[in-house]
Amino acid sequence: MDWQRSLRSRLAARCGPKKSEQELKDEEMELFTKYYMEWKGERKSGNTSYVNIPRFYYRLPAEDEILLQKLREESRAVFLQRKSRELLDNEELQNLWFLLDKHQTSPMIGEEAMINYENFLKVGEKAGPKCKQFFTAKIFAKLLHNDPYGRISIMQFFNYVMRKVWLHQTRIGLSLYDVAGQGYLRESDLENYILELIPTLPQLDGLEKSFYSFYVCTAVRKFFFFLDPLRTGQYLNLDKDHNGMLSKEELSRYGTGTLTNIFLDRVFQECLTYDGEMDYKTYLDFVLALENRKEPAALQYIFKLLDIENKGYLNVFSLNYFFRAIQEQMKIHGQEPVSFQDVKDEIFDMVKPKDPYKISLQDLINSSQGDTVTSILIDLNGFWTYENREVLVASDNDNTADADDT
């Protein structure tokens, strides 16, 4: 049409000759820079200033800056109080339960009340702003199972809300012990938390105050052992000279007393000791590793002891080094020693490492046989249990059959 041709000609006249792609990019960058600098309040001189960038780093007050430390502590306390007020209190939880019960959707499944999505949203509107976060399609779908009417259990939903509230309350409570305000708890912080928690735990009503420190230490070491990538009475019984520390000879009585001397030597070589003796915290790491050998953190602990050459893998030499001690114990107990060659082949068959001559920590973890392999190498009782596993299984089956007959 004539009007279209006229429009194109006028546009071409205004835009001038056709520009190359690079020219268009340069022009775009020039315009962007111009408008950005104007928006930032900069002058046309081209001086770049960072005065308008918001502050994002605040250094921690030094130990001698008492006022700044107090200000930081008070501001954190106010922040945590505000977060605590955002959580549902007992009265609001009770009100939520009444609303859910009032809007339940028939029919019931046994004695369990159900609610459909339409009524679920109605409750969300009436429950108040604090509850808004729980009334989403995502949470409803998460709790939706095989109900033919497309409903969820009121009890399951309410328990979900309760757990979330409890977790947030615990998080806020733990944050109060984060003295440095860095978002994590040091060992001393967690010790303070658990020590003040003890009087509130009904299970520990009969615990004497003299044992508080042992309980706190045990709990804290367990947290740190399993959260880092990985029995207190026995410690007192092992400590024959009552000096609060364990020598290698005292530790050798641990469990069934069948850990090999070679393995115990490695424990005292690699672990932190004081004048050749082990303190309670080091002992707890040792116990947690041996009692949880299926866990990656425990396997990492034991693997470090078995890796005598510090190569990052176990080879035939290192396996033989530890198994010779098992063979020696078998001789002492009047048993015929088992051939290392047979044991070595069984270990490699169990683990199936990527390299047929080397077993890495990851190979042990991936095989799900790490607990068995480590038991074979460090504990005569563990080896005996593995070696006689078929006899033990048959014995268990016979006992089960006898019980069924009776």
Side-chain angles (χ1 to χ4, degrees):
M1 293 183 180
D2 292 340
W3 66 269
Q4 288 177 321
R5 285 195 295 273
S6 174
L7 178 61
R8 289 196 193 101
S9 62
R10 278 184 287 175
L11 285 172
R14 292 185 64 182
C15 295
K18 187 176 181 181
K19 297 180 180 179
S20 67
E21 186 175 347
Q22 185 58 47
E23 287 175 328
L24 289 171
K25 286 183 178 180
D26 292 343
E27 185 177 294
E28 181 180 310
M29 180 56 70
E30 183 182 347
L31 287 170
F32 173 80
T33 304
K34 174 188 173 184
Y35 292 130
Y36 178 76
M37 296 301 256
E38 288 177 358
W39 178 72
K40 296 291 289 182
E42 299 293 341
R43 297 185 177 181
K44 293 182 180 180
S45 61
N47 293 331
T48 56
S49 171
Y50 301 101
V51 293
N52 293 316
I53 296 178
R55 186 175 180 182
F56 58 88
Y57 171 74
Y58 296 86
R59 70 173 180 84
L60 288 174
E63 290 185 5
D64 58 341
E65 294 177 318
I66 307 299
L67 288 177
L68 288 178
Q69 286 185 349
K70 289 294 183 184
L71 177 61
R72 182 180 177 82
E73 290 174 12
E74 288 298 321
S75 61
R76 285 187 67 249
V78 170
F79 171 76
L80 292 173
Q81 286 173 3
R82 187 172 73 247
K83 285 295 180 183
S84 182
R85 288 195 296 269
E86 291 174 4
L87 300 177
L88 295 169
D89 58 29
N90 290 335
E91 186 177 338
E92 289 164 328
L93 284 168
Q94 190 175 28
N95 180 56
L96 174 61
W97 174 255
F98 288 146
L99 286 171
L100 288 167
D101 187 57
K102 183 179 179 182
H103 289 79
Q104 61 178 276
T105 309
S106 301
M108 295 179 68
I109 297 181
E111 297 183 357
E112 192 164 7
M114 312 292 286
I115 188 169
N116 62 18
Y117 188 61
E118 183 180 355
N119 286 342
F120 177 78
L121 293 179
K122 289 179 181 177
V123 173
E125 292 173 359
K126 297 178 180 179
K130 287 187 182 181
C131 293
K132 187 177 180 180
Q133 59 178 308
F134 301 113
F135 288 88
T136 65
K138 184 177 180 180
I139 291 176
F140 188 90
K142 185 185 293 186
L143 299 174
L144 183 62
H145 296 298
N146 297 322
D147 181 65
Y149 303 99
R151 305 166 303 171
I152 63 172
S153 163
I154 287 177
M155 180 59 73
Q156 285 185 7
F157 172 70
F158 188 72
N159 286 339
Y160 173 85
V161 174
M162 289 277 287
R163 284 196 302 271
K164 286 292 184 181
V165 171
W166 179 81
L167 284 171
H168 282 100
Q169 285 174 339
T170 304
R171 173 69 184 271
I172 291 171
L174 283 169
S175 297
L176 292 170
Y177 291 83
D178 175 14
V179 178
Q182 293 298 288
Y184 58 81
L185 295 180
R186 299 167 300 178
E187 194 167 349
S188 58
D189 299 330
L190 195 55
E191 285 175 351
N192 292 332
Y193 171 75
I194 293 177
L195 184 61
E196 295 185 15
L197 192 67
I198 289 177
T200 69
L201 300 175
Q203 303 92 326
L204 300 179
D205 281 345
L207 185 66
E208 295 181 18
K209 287 193 175 182
S210 58
F211 286 96
Y212 276 20
S213 60
F214 285 103
Y215 178 84
V216 169
C217 191
T218 303
V220 170
R221 293 307 288 181
K222 196 162 188 175
F223 278 120
F224 272 84
F225 185 87
F226 284 105
L227 294 179
D228 192 3
L230 5 147
R231 291 172 300 204
T232 61
Q234 189 175 16
Y235 182 81
L236 299 175
N237 293 332
L238 292 173
D239 183 17
K240 295 300 181 183
D241 58 8
H242 304 294
N243 68 343
M245 311 280 277
L246 296 181
S247 65
K248 193 184 89 168
E249 194 274 330
E250 288 173 328
L251 186 63
S252 68
R253 300 188 184 94
Y254 169 78
T256 55
T258 52
L259 292 173
T260 67
N261 285 329
I262 293 293
F263 176 68
L264 291 172
D265 286 341
R266 288 291 295 150
V267 172
F268 278 81
Q269 287 169 8
E270 290 291 329
C271 298
L272 179 64
T273 58
Y274 303 87
D275 294 327
E277 293 200 317
M278 178 185 289
D279 72 348
Y280 184 60
K281 290 184 178 181
T282 305
Y283 166 79
L284 283 176
D285 284 345
F286 172 81
V287 172
L288 289 168
L290 294 190
E291 291 188 352
N292 299 277
R293 295 181 212 185
K294 290 182 179 292
E295 299 292 335
L299 286 175
Q300 184 176 20
Y301 177 99
I302 300 173
F303 186 88
K304 183 180 178 182
L305 302 176
L306 297 177
D307 183 13
I308 53 175
E309 298 177 285
N310 198 28
K311 290 183 175 180
Y313 60 82
L314 307 180
N315 53 21
V316 173
F317 173 79
S318 52
L319 297 180
N320 188 31
Y321 179 82
F322 284 96
F323 191 71
R324 277 184 303 177
I326 295 290
Q327 292 173 318
E328 289 298 322
Q329 283 193 342
M330 294 181 75
K331 289 179 184 178
I332 293 171
H333 288 83
Q335 300 174 9
E336 186 67 28
V338 176
S339 164
F340 168 70
Q341 201 64 31
D342 294 339
V343 172
K344 180 261 294 181
D345 291 341
E346 287 191 46
I347 288 175
F348 274 89
D349 285 343
M350 280 191 287
V351 178
K352 296 180 175 58
K354 290 182 179 179
D355 187 319
Y357 302 103
K358 301 174 183 176
I359 297 175
S360 68
L361 172 62
Q362 197 58 50
D363 289 330
L364 271 184
I365 295 172
N366 293 343
S367 71
S368 300
Q369 298 293 328
D371 58 324
T372 302
V373 172
T374 54
S375 296
I376 289 172
L377 295 173
I378 68 175
D379 184 0
L380 177 61
N381 187 54
F383 172 75
W384 186 88
T385 301
Y386 171 75
E387 190 68 7
N388 295 275
R389 60 194 180 281
E390 294 177 359
V391 177
L392 293 173
V393 169
S395 176
D396 287 343
N397 290 338
D398 290 343
N399 291 336
T400 303
D402 291 341
D404 290 340
D405 291 340
T406 56

Short mmCIF file of all heavy atoms in Angstrom, two decimals, residues 260-267 302-308 314 316-328 340 374 376-379:
data_model
loop_
_atom_site.label_atom_id
_atom_site.label_comp_id
_atom_site.label_asym_id
_atom_site.label_seq_id
_atom_site.Cartn_x
_atom_site.Cartn_y
_atom_site.Cartn_z
N THR A 260 43.45 -56.21 67.58
CA THR A 260 44.86 -56.59 67.45
C THR A 260 45.77 -55.48 67.94
O THR A 260 45.42 -54.30 67.90
CB THR A 260 45.22 -56.91 65.99
OG1 THR A 260 45.14 -55.71 65.22
CG2 THR A 260 44.30 -57.98 65.42
N ASN A 261 46.97 -55.88 68.41
CA ASN A 261 47.95 -54.89 68.88
C ASN A 261 48.41 -53.97 67.75
O ASN A 261 48.69 -52.80 67.98
CB ASN A 261 49.16 -55.60 69.50
CG ASN A 261 48.86 -56.17 70.87
OD1 ASN A 261 48.04 -55.62 71.61
ND2 ASN A 261 49.49 -57.27 71.21
N ILE A 262 48.50 -54.54 66.53
CA ILE A 262 48.91 -53.73 65.38
C ILE A 262 47.92 -52.59 65.15
O ILE A 262 48.31 -51.44 64.93
CB ILE A 262 48.99 -54.60 64.11
CG1 ILE A 262 50.14 -55.61 64.24
CG2 ILE A 262 49.17 -53.75 62.87
CD1 ILE A 262 51.52 -54.98 64.24
N PHE A 263 46.64 -52.90 65.23
CA PHE A 263 45.62 -51.86 65.03
C PHE A 263 45.67 -50.84 66.16
O PHE A 263 45.58 -49.63 65.92
CB PHE A 263 44.23 -52.50 64.96
CG PHE A 263 43.11 -51.50 64.85
CD1 PHE A 263 42.96 -50.73 63.71
CD2 PHE A 263 42.22 -51.32 65.91
CE1 PHE A 263 41.93 -49.79 63.61
CE2 PHE A 263 41.20 -50.39 65.81
CZ PHE A 263 41.06 -49.62 64.66
N LEU A 264 45.82 -51.29 67.40
CA LEU A 264 45.89 -50.35 68.53
C LEU A 264 47.12 -49.46 68.43
O LEU A 264 47.07 -48.28 68.79
CB LEU A 264 45.90 -51.13 69.84
CG LEU A 264 44.58 -51.85 70.20
CD1 LEU A 264 44.78 -52.74 71.42
CD2 LEU A 264 43.47 -50.85 70.45
N ASP A 265 48.23 -50.02 67.93
CA ASP A 265 49.42 -49.18 67.69
C ASP A 265 49.10 -48.04 66.74
O ASP A 265 49.50 -46.90 66.96
CB ASP A 265 50.56 -50.04 67.10
CG ASP A 265 51.20 -50.94 68.13
OD1 ASP A 265 51.05 -50.67 69.34
OD2 ASP A 265 51.86 -51.92 67.73
N ARG A 266 48.35 -48.35 65.67
CA ARG A 266 47.98 -47.33 64.68
C ARG A 266 47.06 -46.28 65.29
O ARG A 266 47.17 -45.09 64.97
CB ARG A 266 47.31 -47.97 63.47
CG ARG A 266 48.24 -48.76 62.59
CD ARG A 266 49.20 -47.85 61.86
NE ARG A 266 48.49 -46.97 60.94
CZ ARG A 266 48.89 -45.75 60.60
NH1 ARG A 266 49.99 -45.23 61.12
NH2 ARG A 266 48.18 -45.03 59.74
N VAL A 267 46.17 -46.71 66.16
CA VAL A 267 45.28 -45.76 66.84
C VAL A 267 46.10 -44.72 67.59
O VAL A 267 45.87 -43.51 67.50
CB VAL A 267 44.30 -46.48 67.79
CG1 VAL A 267 43.53 -45.47 68.63
CG2 VAL A 267 43.34 -47.36 67.00
N ILE A 302 38.51 -45.29 60.24
CA ILE A 302 39.25 -46.55 60.27
C ILE A 302 40.19 -46.67 59.07
O ILE A 302 41.31 -47.17 59.19
CB ILE A 302 38.28 -47.75 60.33
CG1 ILE A 302 37.40 -47.67 61.59
CG2 ILE A 302 39.03 -49.07 60.30
CD1 ILE A 302 36.30 -48.71 61.65
N PHE A 303 39.72 -46.20 57.92
CA PHE A 303 40.55 -46.28 56.70
C PHE A 303 41.87 -45.53 56.89
O PHE A 303 42.92 -46.00 56.46
CB PHE A 303 39.78 -45.69 55.52
CG PHE A 303 40.49 -45.84 54.19
CD1 PHE A 303 40.30 -46.98 53.42
CD2 PHE A 303 41.34 -44.85 53.72
CE1 PHE A 303 40.96 -47.14 52.21
CE2 PHE A 303 42.00 -45.00 52.51
CZ PHE A 303 41.81 -46.15 51.75
N LYS A 304 41.82 -44.39 57.56
CA LYS A 304 43.03 -43.62 57.80
C LYS A 304 44.04 -44.44 58.61
O LYS A 304 45.26 -44.34 58.41
CB LYS A 304 42.68 -42.32 58.53
CG LYS A 304 43.87 -41.41 58.78
CD LYS A 304 43.44 -40.15 59.51
CE LYS A 304 44.65 -39.26 59.81
NZ LYS A 304 44.26 -38.05 60.56
N LEU A 305 43.54 -45.26 59.55
CA LEU A 305 44.42 -46.09 60.36
C LEU A 305 44.98 -47.26 59.56
O LEU A 305 46.13 -47.66 59.75
CB LEU A 305 43.65 -46.62 61.58
CG LEU A 305 43.04 -45.56 62.51
CD1 LEU A 305 42.24 -46.24 63.61
CD2 LEU A 305 44.12 -44.68 63.11
N LEU A 306 44.19 -47.79 58.65
CA LEU A 306 44.63 -48.93 57.83
C LEU A 306 45.60 -48.50 56.73
O LEU A 306 46.43 -49.30 56.29
CB LEU A 306 43.43 -49.63 57.20
CG LEU A 306 42.41 -50.26 58.17
CD1 LEU A 306 41.25 -50.86 57.38
CD2 LEU A 306 43.06 -51.33 59.04
N ASP A 307 45.48 -47.27 56.29
CA ASP A 307 46.33 -46.75 55.21
C ASP A 307 47.71 -46.39 55.79
O ASP A 307 48.07 -45.22 55.94
CB ASP A 307 45.67 -45.54 54.57
CG ASP A 307 46.45 -45.00 53.39
OD1 ASP A 307 47.38 -45.69 52.91
OD2 ASP A 307 46.15 -43.87 52.95
N ILE A 308 48.51 -47.42 56.09
CA ILE A 308 49.78 -47.20 56.82
C ILE A 308 50.80 -46.42 55.99
O ILE A 308 51.68 -45.78 56.54
CB ILE A 308 50.38 -48.54 57.28
CG1 ILE A 308 50.51 -49.50 56.10
CG2 ILE A 308 49.56 -49.15 58.39
CD1 ILE A 308 51.20 -50.80 56.44
N LEU A 314 44.32 -49.00 49.98
CA LEU A 314 44.85 -50.19 50.62
C LEU A 314 45.30 -51.16 49.53
O LEU A 314 44.54 -51.44 48.60
CB LEU A 314 43.79 -50.86 51.50
CG LEU A 314 43.09 -49.97 52.55
CD1 LEU A 314 42.07 -50.80 53.34
CD2 LEU A 314 44.10 -49.34 53.48
N VAL A 316 47.84 -54.93 48.72
CA VAL A 316 48.09 -56.25 49.30
C VAL A 316 49.01 -56.15 50.51
O VAL A 316 48.81 -56.82 51.53
CB VAL A 316 48.68 -57.20 48.24
CG1 VAL A 316 49.09 -58.53 48.88
CG2 VAL A 316 47.67 -57.45 47.13
N PHE A 317 49.99 -55.26 50.44
CA PHE A 317 50.94 -55.10 51.55
C PHE A 317 50.22 -54.65 52.83
O PHE A 317 50.43 -55.23 53.90
CB PHE A 317 52.01 -54.08 51.17
CG PHE A 317 52.92 -53.74 52.32
CD1 PHE A 317 53.96 -54.59 52.68
CD2 PHE A 317 52.73 -52.58 53.07
CE1 PHE A 317 54.80 -54.31 53.75
CE2 PHE A 317 53.57 -52.27 54.14
CZ PHE A 317 54.60 -53.14 54.48
N SER A 318 49.38 -53.62 52.72
CA SER A 318 48.70 -53.11 53.92
C SER A 318 47.69 -54.12 54.47
O SER A 318 47.55 -54.26 55.69
CB SER A 318 48.01 -51.76 53.62
OG SER A 318 47.18 -51.86 52.48
N LEU A 319 47.00 -54.85 53.59
CA LEU A 319 46.07 -55.88 54.07
C LEU A 319 46.83 -56.97 54.82
O LEU A 319 46.41 -57.43 55.88
CB LEU A 319 45.30 -56.48 52.89
CG LEU A 319 44.39 -55.55 52.09
CD1 LEU A 319 43.70 -56.31 50.97
CD2 LEU A 319 43.36 -54.88 52.98
N ASN A 320 47.97 -57.40 54.26
CA ASN A 320 48.78 -58.44 54.88
C ASN A 320 49.36 -57.97 56.22
O ASN A 320 49.45 -58.74 57.19
CB ASN A 320 49.90 -58.86 53.94
CG ASN A 320 50.66 -60.07 54.45
OD1 ASN A 320 50.10 -60.93 55.11
ND2 ASN A 320 51.95 -60.13 54.15
N TYR A 321 49.74 -56.69 56.26
CA TYR A 321 50.32 -56.11 57.48
C TYR A 321 49.37 -56.28 58.67
O TYR A 321 49.79 -56.64 59.78
CB TYR A 321 50.62 -54.63 57.24
CG TYR A 321 51.21 -53.91 58.42
CD1 TYR A 321 52.57 -53.98 58.70
CD2 TYR A 321 50.40 -53.13 59.26
CE1 TYR A 321 53.13 -53.31 59.78
CE2 TYR A 321 50.94 -52.46 60.35
CZ TYR A 321 52.29 -52.55 60.60
OH TYR A 321 52.83 -51.90 61.68
N PHE A 322 48.07 -56.01 58.44
CA PHE A 322 47.10 -56.11 59.54
C PHE A 322 46.65 -57.54 59.77
O PHE A 322 46.41 -57.95 60.92
CB PHE A 322 45.89 -55.21 59.25
CG PHE A 322 46.18 -53.76 59.46
CD1 PHE A 322 46.55 -52.95 58.40
CD2 PHE A 322 46.12 -53.19 60.72
CE1 PHE A 322 46.84 -51.60 58.60
CE2 PHE A 322 46.40 -51.86 60.93
CZ PHE A 322 46.77 -51.06 59.86
N PHE A 323 46.53 -58.33 58.69
CA PHE A 323 46.00 -59.69 58.88
C PHE A 323 47.00 -60.60 59.57
O PHE A 323 46.61 -61.57 60.21
CB PHE A 323 45.56 -60.29 57.54
CG PHE A 323 44.77 -61.55 57.72
CD1 PHE A 323 43.48 -61.51 58.23
CD2 PHE A 323 45.33 -62.79 57.42
CE1 PHE A 323 42.74 -62.67 58.42
CE2 PHE A 323 44.61 -63.96 57.61
CZ PHE A 323 43.31 -63.90 58.12
N ARG A 324 48.30 -60.30 59.47
CA ARG A 324 49.28 -61.11 60.18
C ARG A 324 49.02 -61.11 61.69
O ARG A 324 49.25 -62.12 62.37
CB ARG A 324 50.70 -60.57 59.91
CG ARG A 324 51.30 -61.08 58.60
CD ARG A 324 52.72 -60.61 58.44
NE ARG A 324 52.83 -59.16 58.48
CZ ARG A 324 53.98 -58.50 58.42
NH1 ARG A 324 55.12 -59.15 58.34
NH2 ARG A 324 54.00 -57.18 58.44
N ALA A 325 48.52 -59.98 62.21
CA ALA A 325 48.20 -59.91 63.64
C ALA A 325 47.02 -60.80 63.98
O ALA A 325 46.96 -61.40 65.06
CB ALA A 325 47.90 -58.47 64.03
N ILE A 326 46.06 -60.93 63.05
CA ILE A 326 44.94 -61.85 63.25
C ILE A 326 45.46 -63.29 63.27
O ILE A 326 45.05 -64.10 64.13
CB ILE A 326 43.90 -61.69 62.12
CG1 ILE A 326 43.25 -60.28 62.16
CG2 ILE A 326 42.82 -62.78 62.20
CD1 ILE A 326 42.34 -60.04 63.31
N GLN A 327 46.37 -63.61 62.35
CA GLN A 327 46.95 -64.96 62.32
C GLN A 327 47.69 -65.28 63.62
O GLN A 327 47.61 -66.40 64.13
CB GLN A 327 47.89 -65.09 61.12
CG GLN A 327 47.17 -65.06 59.77
CD GLN A 327 48.13 -65.02 58.60
OE1 GLN A 327 49.14 -64.30 58.64
NE2 GLN A 327 47.84 -65.79 57.57
N GLU A 328 48.42 -64.30 64.15
CA GLU A 328 49.14 -64.50 65.41
C GLU A 328 48.18 -64.77 66.56
O GLU A 328 48.42 -65.64 67.41
CB GLU A 328 50.01 -63.27 65.72
CG GLU A 328 51.20 -63.09 64.82
CD GLU A 328 52.18 -64.26 64.93
OE1 GLU A 328 52.38 -64.78 66.05
OE2 GLU A 328 52.73 -64.67 63.89
N PHE A 340 46.43 -66.07 54.25
CA PHE A 340 46.18 -64.67 53.86
C PHE A 340 45.72 -64.58 52.41
O PHE A 340 44.88 -63.75 52.08
CB PHE A 340 47.44 -63.82 54.05
CG PHE A 340 47.33 -62.47 53.40
CD1 PHE A 340 46.48 -61.49 53.90
CD2 PHE A 340 48.05 -62.19 52.23
CE1 PHE A 340 46.37 -60.25 53.28
CE2 PHE A 340 47.93 -60.95 51.61
CZ PHE A 340 47.09 -59.99 52.14
N THR A 374 36.70 -54.25 57.47
CA THR A 374 37.49 -53.70 58.58
C THR A 374 37.48 -54.64 59.78
O THR A 374 38.49 -54.78 60.47
CB THR A 374 36.95 -52.32 58.99
OG1 THR A 374 35.54 -52.40 59.28
CG2 THR A 374 37.15 -51.30 57.87
N ILE A 376 37.39 -57.90 59.69
CA ILE A 376 38.30 -59.00 59.37
C ILE A 376 39.74 -58.63 59.66
O ILE A 376 40.54 -59.45 60.12
CB ILE A 376 38.15 -59.39 57.87
CG1 ILE A 376 36.80 -60.08 57.64
CG2 ILE A 376 39.29 -60.29 57.41
CD1 ILE A 376 36.49 -60.33 56.18
N LEU A 377 40.09 -57.36 59.44
CA LEU A 377 41.48 -56.92 59.53
C LEU A 377 41.93 -56.49 60.93
O LEU A 377 43.11 -56.49 61.22
CB LEU A 377 41.73 -55.77 58.55
CG LEU A 377 41.58 -56.11 57.06
CD1 LEU A 377 41.68 -54.85 56.22
CD2 LEU A 377 42.65 -57.12 56.63
N ILE A 378 40.99 -56.09 61.80
CA ILE A 378 41.42 -55.46 63.06
C ILE A 378 40.97 -56.20 64.31
O ILE A 378 41.47 -55.92 65.39
CB ILE A 378 40.92 -54.00 63.14
CG1 ILE A 378 39.40 -53.95 63.28
CG2 ILE A 378 41.38 -53.20 61.93
CD1 ILE A 378 38.85 -52.55 63.49
N ASP A 379 40.03 -57.15 64.18
CA ASP A 379 39.40 -57.74 65.36
C ASP A 379 39.25 -59.24 65.18
O ASP A 379 38.57 -59.70 64.26
CB ASP A 379 38.02 -57.08 65.56
CG ASP A 379 37.32 -57.54 66.82
OD1 ASP A 379 37.89 -58.37 67.56
OD2 ASP A 379 36.20 -57.06 67.07
#
